[in-house]
Amino acid sequence: MARATQTAGTSGTGRPAPRHHGNRHGRSEQARLSVLNAADDLLAEKGFAGVTMEGIATRAGVSKQTIYRWWSAKTDILMDALLQDVAEDLPVRDRGDLALDLRGYLCDLAGFLSGSDSGAVFKALVAQAQHDPAFARDFRARYLDGQRRRDRLPLERAMERGELPPGLDLTAETDQLMGPVYYRVLVTDEPVGQEFTDRLVDAFLHRHGLTPPAND
């Protein structure tokens, strides 16, 4: 997650300008980001069991009372951290070409899931969802549904451009294309480097009679 920085401004009188204190509910955006960053860091360092509300508060430099005003459990904090990280670090770029779009996105996705603190949060929340039905419903609604739409977006754009035939089952095609990445990240822990993701994309393109891009 990108770390927030703050530079004090000055008013027209030369005195420091008033700080922004967050939204209409009075939440401090700086404190909120500090809490999300602290949760990310602690999970990467200590694992899910080692993350506590007390530890997050200490690392973020805020009171537990402040945290409990905003979140009721550590899973809520980690969920918000994951959602913000995805928005910041996993864009679905549109290069106007399906092959390039898929190669770029799968490489970015694999790196995000396997090589970042955000990926550690994702894996911990998936594990938590296996034995917490209420959290599982929230996780699917807040994260997984949106992630599946994000994973499908390169194919939707390609269909709109005419690179893929109308009527193609994009959900099934997305599962075939992205599934091996998630399987390696969550089950086998095998490498998911660019060579692997490029092979997935090339197999998809061949299956649909499209030409893979030339290697650099």
Side-chain angles (χ1 to χ4, degrees), residues 92-147:
V92 188
R93 297 180 177 88
D94 186 357
R95 298 174 175 84
D97 178 87
L98 176 59
L100 297 177
D101 288 352
L102 287 178
R103 278 197 170 187
Y105 180 68
L106 260 72
C107 184
D108 290 346
L109 176 66
F112 181 85
L113 294 177
S114 66
S116 70
D117 290 355
S118 309
V121 171
F122 167 77
K123 286 181 276 190
L125 294 180
V126 168
Q128 180 68 14
Q130 303 312 301
H131 57 82
D132 184 340
F135 173 71
R137 289 191 295 272
D138 187 50
F139 184 58
R140 292 188 185 100
R142 296 189 61 203
Y143 172 75
L144 285 181
D145 290 349
Q147 184 60 45

Side-chain angles (χ1 to χ4, degrees), residues 7-157:
T7 303
T10 58
S11 67
T13 63
R15 293 191 296 272
R19 289 180 182 271
H20 174 64
H21 291 291
N23 62 23
R24 61 189 178 88
H25 298 292
R27 297 181 180 180
S28 164
E29 180 65 9
Q30 185 73 22
R32 188 187 75 86
L33 291 174
S34 294
V35 169
L36 299 183
N37 291 329
D40 262 358
D41 292 344
L42 285 172
L43 189 138
E45 293 170 14
K46 301 176 181 294
F48 183 79
V51 178
T52 64
M53 299 294 263
E54 293 83 356
I56 293 171
T58 299
R59 177 68 64 93
V62 302
S63 69
K64 282 200 300 180
Q65 181 182 8
T66 295
I67 290 182
Y68 279 113
R69 281 203 306 267
W70 303 346
W71 298 281
S72 61
K74 68 181 183 181
T75 50
D76 298 330
I77 302 174
L78 290 168
M79 176 76 78
D80 281 356
L82 178 61
L83 292 172
Q84 180 151 318
D85 289 348
V86 167
E88 292 177 352
D89 301 332
L90 194 59
V92 188
R93 297 180 177 88
D94 186 357
R95 298 174 175 84
D97 178 87
L98 176 59
L100 297 177
D101 288 352
L102 287 178
R103 278 197 170 187
Y105 180 68
L106 260 72
C107 184
D108 290 346
L109 176 66
F112 181 85
L113 294 177
S114 66
S116 70
D117 290 355
S118 309
V121 171
F122 167 77
K123 286 181 276 190
L125 294 180
V126 168
Q128 180 68 14
Q130 303 312 301
H131 57 82
D132 184 340
F135 173 71
R137 289 191 295 272
D138 187 50
F139 184 58
R140 292 188 185 100
R142 296 189 61 203
Y143 172 75
L144 285 181
D145 290 349
Q147 184 60 45
R148 283 175 65 81
R149 289 192 295 271
R150 188 177 296 107
D151 290 343
R152 193 168 58 241
L153 186 55
L155 303 186
E156 291 177 345
R157 289 170 174 165

